[in-house]
Amino acid sequence: MMNEYSDEILLISKCGSFSKAAEQLGITQPALSFRIKKMEEKLGAKIFERTSDKSLTKEGEILIEYLKKRKLLDAELQNRLDDLHRNLCGSLVIGSTHGFALGYLPYCVQKYAARFPNVNIQLIEGTMPEIEQKAREGEIDIFITGVEFESVEFEKEFLFREDIFLCVPPHFRHDSRFKDKIITKDMLQMCDIGETKSLPQIDLALLSGETFILLPEDFNVGRVAGSILGTFTEKGKLHTMVTNQMTTGVALSQRGLGVSFVTEDYVRYVDCAEFPALLKVNVGSSYRNVYVAYAKRRYLSNAAHALLDIIKE
């Protein structure tokens, strides 16, 4: 009985609206309402309140919890059967923040898709709290994170350390204080990721009077930037601008609007029309560790293990 319309019920719960769910399903709202009414009649209880926000009834909350668990078990069953027959196929859901999705992750997925063309790959982007929640709920198999955390819910494996650079306006290339310190693409490619000690560094005090373009502090790069600027003796006099995307910060810097913070994987792997002007500061905290993580309670398929192997290469 529960097989019929389970996806529709989960989608309505997620959207909070019959009309939005119907639009995603490609059917009319009355048709969807009719399906749910049939399901409620079979169940002998209402699933959704007939109010504007279509909130769940108590019975609906129990049903949603059951349907989510069953969906996870169905996926695990299929993965185990595929693995038993050594079929590297099925699906793999990978989560990441926008920054990793632009930089490091496509490089890995390209290699993975070439080796395992029968695996259907889905990429989900979001903030790290959103990604972690989806992993808890079984919607994501594996995710990339730069967040330091200890959790009984997740297993994590260290991948690499990467530096956080300053992206500065183009005119810095001609400023006598910085022109010999600008890091070029060729200079970066001569170093392994996270091994940039040989690159020129500057004293943060040289940037006194500049506008700093920051990410919110609940973003990992935002926290690293806050740690770097915490060493600035004139912190109280800082002029700042805030954006919620690293790519936007880089674009603003390239337009001459200030100094932003950019990760090493972004400048290594993203093809920019113009390679940004980069500086490295002599601050010990100007880096982050990158991990791959997955829910401990979730069965990790051969397809997921194969991605782990590629990520670690």
Side-chain angles (χ1 to χ4, degrees):
M1 180 180 76
M2 290 298 107
N3 286 331
E4 193 174 20
Y5 307 141
S6 61
D7 289 339
E8 286 91 333
I9 293 168
L10 287 170
L11 186 59
I12 295 168
S13 174
K14 182 179 179 181
C15 294
S17 162
F18 274 59
S19 57
K20 289 179 181 177
E23 185 179 349
Q24 289 192 33
L25 291 167
I27 61 175
T28 64
Q29 189 268 331
L32 180 58
S33 295
F34 179 74
R35 292 181 184 181
I36 300 306
K37 186 178 180 181
K38 284 180 63 179
M39 188 68 210
E40 289 176 328
E41 288 173 354
K42 287 184 178 181
L43 189 65
K46 283 188 176 181
I47 301 170
F48 297 99
E49 299 285 3
R50 294 311 193 261
T51 56
S52 59
D53 62 355
K54 299 297 183 289
S55 58
L56 291 164
T57 62
K58 292 294 184 183
E59 294 85 353
E61 289 175 358
I62 294 171
L63 178 61
I64 289 293
E65 182 181 355
Y66 167 81
L67 292 177
K68 285 181 177 179
K69 288 179 180 178
R70 198 200 67 186
K71 193 172 183 179
L72 287 178
L73 287 171
D74 287 347
E76 182 176 323
L77 172 62
Q78 188 60 58
N79 284 333
R80 284 182 179 271
L81 290 174
D82 289 339
D83 289 350
L84 184 65
H85 295 97
R86 299 190 180 280
N87 295 325
L88 207 60
C89 57
S91 62
L92 180 63
V93 185
I94 310 166
S96 83
T97 59
H98 184 62
F100 285 123
L102 280 173
Y104 178 69
L105 192 55
Y107 170 78
C108 298
V109 171
Q110 181 185 32
K111 294 172 70 175
Y112 185 89
R115 292 186 199 178
F116 310 111
N118 294 325
V119 177
N120 296 315
I121 301 169
Q122 181 184 358
L123 302 178
I124 295 180
E125 294 179 46
T127 64
M128 194 45 60
E130 291 170 344
I131 295 298
E132 289 179 12
Q133 184 59 32
K134 288 181 183 294
R136 285 188 194 95
E137 294 176 353
E139 296 180 36
I140 287 175
D141 297 307
I142 195 167
F143 61 95
I144 308 295
T145 177
V147 176
E148 298 286 349
F149 66 88
E150 295 297 334
S151 172
V152 296
E153 299 175 286
F154 298 111
E155 197 74 54
K156 71 175 183 180
E157 299 183 35
F158 176 79
L159 293 178
F160 55 85
R161 164 183 158 153
E162 67 170 352
D163 287 310
I164 306 296
F165 293 105
L166 301 181
C167 179
V168 297
H171 71 261
F172 274 51
R173 290 189 172 99
H174 311 292
D175 189 315
S176 60
R177 297 172 299 166
F178 305 111
K179 65 180 183 180
D180 294 331
K181 305 291 185 181
I182 294 290
I183 296 167
T184 65
K185 188 173 185 177
D186 289 341
M187 292 167 67
L188 193 61
Q189 288 178 340
M190 290 176 65
C191 307
D192 291 333
I193 193 162
E195 300 294 332
T196 62
K197 292 180 181 178
S198 61
L199 296 177
Q201 301 180 26
I202 66 156
D203 190 325
L204 195 62
L206 289 174
L207 297 174
S208 177
E210 296 293 334
T211 296
F212 286 91
I213 303 166
L214 306 176
L215 292 171
E217 289 197 2
D218 56 343
F219 284 46
N220 181 244
V221 175
R223 285 193 293 273
V224 175
S227 177
I228 293 171
L229 293 178
T231 67
F232 206 5
T233 55
E234 298 185 23
K235 187 178 179 183
K237 300 178 182 179
L238 285 179
H239 183 260
T240 62
M241 185 184 302
V242 178
T243 177
N244 65 355
Q245 292 290 353
M246 184 170 61
T247 51
T248 304
V250 171
L252 292 171
S253 292
Q254 290 183 308
R255 287 288 183 178
L257 294 173
V259 177
S260 60
F261 295 81
V262 62
T263 59
E264 186 176 349
D265 82 286
Y266 178 86
V267 293
R268 281 183 181 273
Y269 297 115
V270 175
D271 291 326
C272 301
E274 179 185 358
F275 190 77
L278 302 177
L279 292 173
K280 179 176 170 64
V281 292
N282 59 353
V283 176
S285 59
S286 58
Y287 72 92
R288 69 172 176 177
N289 294 322
V290 178
Y291 302 91
V292 61
Y294 46 90
K296 288 181 179 179
R297 64 180 176 84
R298 185 168 176 77
Y299 174 74
L300 209 59
S301 66
N302 285 346
H305 280 291
L307 178 65
L308 277 175
D309 292 340
I310 286 177
I311 287 174
K312 294 173 186 176
E313 288 177 359

